[in-house]
Amino acid sequence: MAPAQNETLPPELQLALAHSQPRDRISLRIFFDLDIRFARIISGTSEPTLGQLRLAWWRETLMKPVAERPGGDAVLDAIGGDWPGCERELISLAEGWEHLLAEPPMDEDDARRFAQRRVAAMRGAFADGGAAWDDAGAGIPAWHWALADLARHVSRDEERAMLVEIGLENEDSQKRLPARFKGVAVLGALARRSLERGGHPLMEGRGAAITVLRASIFGA
């Protein structure tokens, strides 16, 4: 089944897909689409209870067998076609986004829980590659992305500073990634650059293209 390409992804996510292997692109695209859907729920919700209800609908729906889910939603249909039986990570992703519904300012514990679940869901997109993901240390660049992407969207300076600090904690332990995770390496390199610049947009500035080229060649 083709991925739910009902909208254009941000350029950094397009680059991550372009540098990923064909066998991983569909599930990775589904992850990105669902993650964006959850982000819009959070950003478009002025009443936390309403946001919780919408995320709860996704969790409860993903717990059902594919045949019992409603049809017609491009992302949900794609999950049923290409991610059946492995929805646990996507349910956890919804739980991660729910941490951002807490009263501001965002605290460090909520930020960490959000990032952990976002990283776990990206890992799940590689299906049979979970062990390889762990061995390669692919969770580190995914962690950088999870927090850099959030940092560039928050409006409070103190929240952005906190997210940058958490995001760069394990910067020195980054390893060169194998070819299968080249897309993650590209995304992680852009994210590290963003964090080091204080949480700026990932593709901002002329140096972004050089960062992508370097990561695509060296895998880090």
Side-chain angles (χ1 to χ4, degrees), residues 26 44 64 82 190 218:
I26 291 178
K64 297 177 180 179
D82 293 290
L190 287 169
F218 299 108

Side-chain angles (χ1 to χ4, degrees), residues 19 182 185-186 211-220:
H19 286 89
K182 184 179 292 186
V186 167
T211 298
V212 170
L213 179 61
R214 183 183 300 115
S216 67
I217 295 173
F218 299 108

Side-chain angles (χ1 to χ4, degrees), residues 146-178:
L147 288 157
D149 180 68
L150 180 58
R152 74 186 182 92
H153 283 105
V154 298
S155 58
R156 295 170 177 263
D157 291 341
E158 65 270 27
E159 290 181 343
R160 184 176 299 105
M162 178 265 292
L163 293 169
V164 167
E165 182 177 357
I166 297 174
L168 292 174
E169 282 179 346
N170 53 13
E171 182 181 20
D172 295 336
S173 57
Q174 175 63 59
K175 299 189 295 184
R176 178 173 182 173
L177 299 185

Side-chain angles (χ1 to χ4, degrees), residues 85-103:
C86 303
E87 290 89 349
R88 178 172 54 86
E89 292 90 350
L90 300 182
I91 293 169
S92 180
L93 178 64
E95 294 169 348
W97 277 102
E98 190 170 0
H99 280 282
L100 302 189
L101 288 170
E103 287 294 324

Side-chain angles (χ1 to χ4, degrees), residues 12-13 16 20 28 31-32 114-116 118-123 126 132-150 163 166-196 202 211 215-216 218-220:
E12 63 269 16
L13 301 188
S20 297
L28 192 58
F31 161 70
F32 287 146
F114 164 77
Q116 289 164 359
R118 209 178 195 190
V119 170
M122 182 182 282
R123 179 185 183 275
F126 289 88
W133 169 285
D134 296 337
D135 291 342
I140 295 175
W143 176 267
H144 291 152
W145 167 74
L147 288 157
D149 180 68
L150 180 58
L163 293 169
I166 297 174
L168 292 174
E169 282 179 346
N170 53 13
E171 182 181 20
D172 295 336
S173 57
Q174 175 63 59
K175 299 189 295 184
R176 178 173 182 173
L177 299 185
R180 182 171 188 186
F181 303 114
K182 184 179 292 186
V184 180
V186 167
L187 196 57
L190 287 169
R192 286 199 311 276
R193 176 176 176 271
S194 168
L195 292 167
E196 289 165 357
L202 275 68
T211 298
S216 67
F218 299 108

Side-chain angles (χ1 to χ4, degrees), residues 5-22:
Q5 296 182 1
N6 55 353
E7 62 179 306
T8 301
L9 294 176
E12 63 269 16
L13 301 188
Q14 294 183 43
L15 285 168
L17 288 177
H19 286 89
S20 297
Q21 295 185 354

